[in-house]
Short mmCIF file of all heavy atoms in Angstrom, two decimals:
data_model
loop_
_atom_site.label_atom_id
_atom_site.label_comp_id
_atom_site.label_asym_id
_atom_site.label_seq_id
_atom_site.Cartn_x
_atom_site.Cartn_y
_atom_site.Cartn_z
N ARG A 1 -28.67 -4.90 10.44
CA ARG A 1 -27.72 -5.97 10.67
C ARG A 1 -26.71 -6.05 9.52
O ARG A 1 -25.56 -6.20 9.68
CB ARG A 1 -28.45 -7.31 10.82
CG ARG A 1 -29.17 -7.46 12.14
CD ARG A 1 -29.79 -8.78 12.31
NE ARG A 1 -30.79 -8.70 13.34
CZ ARG A 1 -31.95 -9.31 13.31
NH1 ARG A 1 -32.26 -10.07 12.31
NH2 ARG A 1 -32.79 -9.20 14.28
N THR A 2 -27.28 -5.94 8.29
CA THR A 2 -26.42 -5.97 7.09
C THR A 2 -25.47 -4.79 7.14
O THR A 2 -24.28 -4.93 6.91
CB THR A 2 -27.26 -5.90 5.82
OG1 THR A 2 -28.17 -7.02 5.83
CG2 THR A 2 -26.41 -5.96 4.57
N THR A 3 -26.01 -3.61 7.43
CA THR A 3 -25.20 -2.40 7.51
C THR A 3 -24.11 -2.57 8.58
O THR A 3 -22.97 -2.29 8.31
CB THR A 3 -26.07 -1.16 7.81
OG1 THR A 3 -27.08 -1.11 6.78
CG2 THR A 3 -25.28 0.08 7.82
N SER A 4 -24.52 -3.06 9.76
CA SER A 4 -23.51 -3.20 10.83
C SER A 4 -22.49 -4.27 10.43
O SER A 4 -21.32 -4.14 10.69
CB SER A 4 -24.15 -3.56 12.15
OG SER A 4 -24.68 -4.83 12.15
N THR A 5 -22.92 -5.32 9.72
CA THR A 5 -21.99 -6.33 9.24
C THR A 5 -21.03 -5.67 8.27
O THR A 5 -19.81 -5.89 8.30
CB THR A 5 -22.72 -7.49 8.58
OG1 THR A 5 -23.60 -8.08 9.54
CG2 THR A 5 -21.75 -8.54 8.07
N ARG A 6 -21.55 -4.91 7.33
CA ARG A 6 -20.71 -4.23 6.35
C ARG A 6 -19.76 -3.28 7.09
O ARG A 6 -18.59 -3.21 6.72
CB ARG A 6 -21.54 -3.44 5.38
CG ARG A 6 -22.20 -4.36 4.34
CD ARG A 6 -22.94 -3.62 3.32
NE ARG A 6 -23.65 -4.54 2.46
CZ ARG A 6 -24.66 -4.22 1.70
NH1 ARG A 6 -25.15 -2.98 1.71
NH2 ARG A 6 -25.25 -5.14 0.97
N ARG A 7 -20.24 -2.56 8.09
CA ARG A 7 -19.35 -1.66 8.83
C ARG A 7 -18.28 -2.49 9.49
O ARG A 7 -17.13 -2.10 9.50
CB ARG A 7 -20.15 -0.89 9.88
CG ARG A 7 -20.98 0.17 9.32
CD ARG A 7 -21.70 0.94 10.38
NE ARG A 7 -22.66 1.87 9.77
CZ ARG A 7 -23.81 2.21 10.34
NH1 ARG A 7 -24.12 1.80 11.52
NH2 ARG A 7 -24.63 3.03 9.70
N SER A 8 -18.65 -3.64 10.06
CA SER A 8 -17.65 -4.48 10.67
C SER A 8 -16.61 -4.92 9.67
O SER A 8 -15.45 -4.89 9.91
CB SER A 8 -18.27 -5.72 11.35
OG SER A 8 -19.16 -5.32 12.34
N SER A 9 -17.10 -5.32 8.47
CA SER A 9 -16.17 -5.75 7.44
C SER A 9 -15.25 -4.62 7.04
O SER A 9 -14.06 -4.77 6.89
CB SER A 9 -16.93 -6.22 6.18
OG SER A 9 -17.77 -7.30 6.53
N THR A 10 -15.88 -3.42 6.87
CA THR A 10 -15.05 -2.26 6.47
C THR A 10 -14.06 -1.96 7.55
O THR A 10 -12.91 -1.69 7.27
CB THR A 10 -15.99 -1.03 6.25
OG1 THR A 10 -16.97 -1.40 5.28
CG2 THR A 10 -15.22 0.15 5.81
N THR A 11 -14.50 -1.97 8.78
CA THR A 11 -13.63 -1.70 9.90
C THR A 11 -12.49 -2.74 9.95
O THR A 11 -11.33 -2.36 10.03
CB THR A 11 -14.38 -1.73 11.24
OG1 THR A 11 -15.43 -0.78 11.17
CG2 THR A 11 -13.48 -1.43 12.42
N SER A 12 -12.84 -4.01 9.78
CA SER A 12 -11.80 -5.02 9.86
C SER A 12 -10.88 -4.95 8.66
O SER A 12 -9.69 -5.14 8.79
CB SER A 12 -12.42 -6.42 10.03
OG SER A 12 -13.13 -6.78 8.87
N SER A 13 -11.43 -4.67 7.45
CA SER A 13 -10.56 -4.61 6.30
C SER A 13 -9.72 -3.34 6.35
O SER A 13 -8.61 -3.30 5.83
CB SER A 13 -11.36 -4.69 5.03
OG SER A 13 -12.23 -3.57 4.89
N SER A 14 -10.23 -2.19 7.00
CA SER A 14 -9.39 -1.07 7.06
C SER A 14 -8.32 -1.25 8.15
O SER A 14 -7.28 -0.60 8.12
CB SER A 14 -10.24 0.18 7.35
OG SER A 14 -10.84 0.10 8.61
N SER A 15 -8.58 -2.11 9.12
CA SER A 15 -7.59 -2.35 10.14
C SER A 15 -6.52 -3.36 9.64
O SER A 15 -5.44 -3.40 10.18
CB SER A 15 -8.20 -2.81 11.46
OG SER A 15 -8.82 -4.05 11.27
N ALA A 16 -6.89 -4.16 8.66
CA ALA A 16 -5.93 -5.09 8.07
C ALA A 16 -5.10 -4.33 7.02
O ALA A 16 -5.69 -3.78 6.08
CB ALA A 16 -6.62 -6.26 7.43
N LEU A 17 -3.81 -4.24 7.24
CA LEU A 17 -2.99 -3.44 6.35
C LEU A 17 -2.76 -4.13 5.01
O LEU A 17 -2.74 -5.38 4.91
CB LEU A 17 -1.66 -3.13 7.00
CG LEU A 17 -1.72 -2.32 8.28
CD1 LEU A 17 -0.30 -2.11 8.87
CD2 LEU A 17 -2.34 -0.98 8.03
N GLN A 18 -2.63 -3.32 3.97
CA GLN A 18 -2.41 -3.83 2.61
C GLN A 18 -0.95 -3.68 2.23
O GLN A 18 -0.26 -2.83 2.81
CB GLN A 18 -3.26 -3.06 1.64
CG GLN A 18 -4.77 -3.13 1.91
CD GLN A 18 -5.54 -2.24 0.96
OE1 GLN A 18 -4.99 -1.55 0.13
NE2 GLN A 18 -6.85 -2.28 1.12
N ASP A 19 -0.52 -4.46 1.24
CA ASP A 19 0.81 -4.32 0.67
C ASP A 19 0.92 -2.96 0.01
O ASP A 19 -0.08 -2.38 -0.41
CB ASP A 19 1.10 -5.41 -0.35
CG ASP A 19 1.28 -6.78 0.25
OD1 ASP A 19 1.63 -6.84 1.47
OD2 ASP A 19 1.09 -7.77 -0.40
N GLY A 20 2.14 -2.50 -0.11
CA GLY A 20 2.38 -1.20 -0.76
C GLY A 20 2.82 -1.42 -2.20
O GLY A 20 2.73 -2.52 -2.73
N THR A 21 3.23 -0.34 -2.81
CA THR A 21 3.76 -0.45 -4.19
C THR A 21 5.16 0.12 -4.26
O THR A 21 5.52 0.98 -3.45
CB THR A 21 2.82 0.34 -5.19
OG1 THR A 21 2.76 1.68 -4.77
CG2 THR A 21 1.45 -0.26 -5.27
N ALA A 22 5.92 -0.40 -5.24
CA ALA A 22 7.30 0.04 -5.40
C ALA A 22 7.53 0.43 -6.86
O ALA A 22 6.97 -0.18 -7.77
CB ALA A 22 8.26 -1.05 -4.96
N LEU A 23 8.39 1.44 -7.06
CA LEU A 23 8.66 1.97 -8.37
C LEU A 23 10.09 2.41 -8.41
O LEU A 23 10.58 3.10 -7.53
CB LEU A 23 7.69 3.14 -8.67
CG LEU A 23 7.90 3.92 -9.94
CD1 LEU A 23 7.49 3.07 -11.12
CD2 LEU A 23 7.08 5.19 -9.90
N VAL A 24 10.81 2.07 -9.50
CA VAL A 24 12.17 2.52 -9.65
C VAL A 24 12.10 4.02 -10.11
O VAL A 24 11.50 4.33 -11.13
CB VAL A 24 12.96 1.73 -10.76
CG1 VAL A 24 14.35 2.37 -10.98
CG2 VAL A 24 13.09 0.30 -10.31
N VAL A 25 12.67 4.89 -9.29
CA VAL A 25 12.70 6.33 -9.61
C VAL A 25 13.90 6.62 -10.49
O VAL A 25 13.83 7.35 -11.46
CB VAL A 25 12.73 7.13 -8.33
CG1 VAL A 25 12.93 8.64 -8.63
CG2 VAL A 25 11.51 6.91 -7.47
N SER A 26 15.03 6.01 -10.14
CA SER A 26 16.25 6.16 -10.97
C SER A 26 17.14 4.93 -10.79
O SER A 26 17.16 4.34 -9.70
CB SER A 26 17.01 7.44 -10.56
OG SER A 26 17.47 7.33 -9.22
N CYS A 27 17.80 4.58 -11.86
CA CYS A 27 18.73 3.44 -11.84
C CYS A 27 20.14 3.96 -11.57
O CYS A 27 20.42 5.13 -11.79
CB CYS A 27 18.64 2.66 -13.16
SG CYS A 27 19.42 1.05 -13.08
N ALA A 28 20.98 3.09 -11.14
CA ALA A 28 22.39 3.45 -10.85
C ALA A 28 23.13 3.77 -12.12
O ALA A 28 22.84 3.19 -13.21
CB ALA A 28 23.06 2.29 -10.13
N THR A 29 24.02 4.72 -12.02
CA THR A 29 24.91 5.11 -13.12
C THR A 29 26.31 5.27 -12.59
O THR A 29 26.53 5.21 -11.37
CB THR A 29 24.47 6.45 -13.78
OG1 THR A 29 24.62 7.48 -12.82
CG2 THR A 29 23.04 6.40 -14.28
N LYS A 30 27.29 5.44 -13.42
CA LYS A 30 28.68 5.68 -12.97
C LYS A 30 28.75 6.97 -12.16
O LYS A 30 29.46 7.04 -11.17
CB LYS A 30 29.62 5.66 -14.16
CG LYS A 30 29.81 4.32 -14.76
CD LYS A 30 30.80 4.31 -15.92
CE LYS A 30 30.81 2.92 -16.50
NZ LYS A 30 31.73 2.81 -17.62
N ALA A 31 27.98 7.91 -12.55
CA ALA A 31 27.97 9.22 -11.82
C ALA A 31 27.28 9.10 -10.48
O ALA A 31 27.69 9.72 -9.47
CB ALA A 31 27.32 10.29 -12.65
N ILE A 32 26.18 8.36 -10.45
CA ILE A 32 25.44 8.15 -9.20
C ILE A 32 25.27 6.61 -9.03
O ILE A 32 24.40 6.02 -9.63
CB ILE A 32 24.06 8.83 -9.24
CG1 ILE A 32 24.20 10.34 -9.54
CG2 ILE A 32 23.28 8.61 -7.95
CD1 ILE A 32 22.88 11.04 -9.78
N PRO A 33 26.18 6.02 -8.23
CA PRO A 33 26.23 4.54 -8.15
C PRO A 33 25.18 3.88 -7.28
O PRO A 33 25.44 2.88 -6.59
CB PRO A 33 27.65 4.29 -7.65
CG PRO A 33 27.91 5.46 -6.76
CD PRO A 33 27.22 6.63 -7.46
N TYR A 34 23.96 4.38 -7.30
CA TYR A 34 22.90 3.75 -6.53
C TYR A 34 21.55 3.98 -7.23
O TYR A 34 21.38 4.96 -7.98
CB TYR A 34 22.80 4.26 -5.09
CG TYR A 34 22.65 5.75 -4.94
CD1 TYR A 34 21.39 6.32 -4.99
CD2 TYR A 34 23.75 6.60 -4.80
CE1 TYR A 34 21.20 7.68 -4.92
CE2 TYR A 34 23.59 7.93 -4.66
CZ TYR A 34 22.32 8.50 -4.73
OH TYR A 34 22.18 9.84 -4.62
N ALA A 35 20.65 3.07 -7.08
CA ALA A 35 19.29 3.18 -7.62
C ALA A 35 18.41 3.69 -6.49
O ALA A 35 18.71 3.45 -5.32
CB ALA A 35 18.83 1.82 -8.09
N THR A 36 17.35 4.37 -6.91
CA THR A 36 16.41 4.88 -5.96
C THR A 36 15.05 4.23 -6.22
O THR A 36 14.55 4.28 -7.38
CB THR A 36 16.29 6.41 -5.98
OG1 THR A 36 17.56 6.97 -5.71
CG2 THR A 36 15.27 6.92 -4.97
N VAL A 37 14.45 3.65 -5.19
CA VAL A 37 13.12 3.04 -5.34
C VAL A 37 12.19 3.77 -4.39
O VAL A 37 12.48 4.01 -3.24
CB VAL A 37 13.22 1.54 -4.93
CG1 VAL A 37 11.79 0.94 -4.97
CG2 VAL A 37 14.17 0.80 -5.86
#
């Protein structure tokens, strides 16, 4: 029962999507007037 409960939790938490992460790859310059994230 515990195992199946854990499986259910794992299944439900894996089906619930998580937030992502963001990182500035490059900032805008006069030569390239846009930033890339």
Side-chain angles (χ1 to χ4, degrees):
R1 289 184 197 140
T2 303
T3 303
S4 70
T5 301
R6 286 184 184 158
R7 285 181 189 150
S8 297
S9 301
T10 303
T11 302
S12 65
S13 64
S14 66
S15 64
L17 297 178
Q18 299 175 359
D19 288 336
T21 56
L23 175 70
V24 174
V25 175
S26 63
C27 193
T29 64
K30 289 181 183 178
I32 304 172
Y34 57 86
T36 302
V37 176

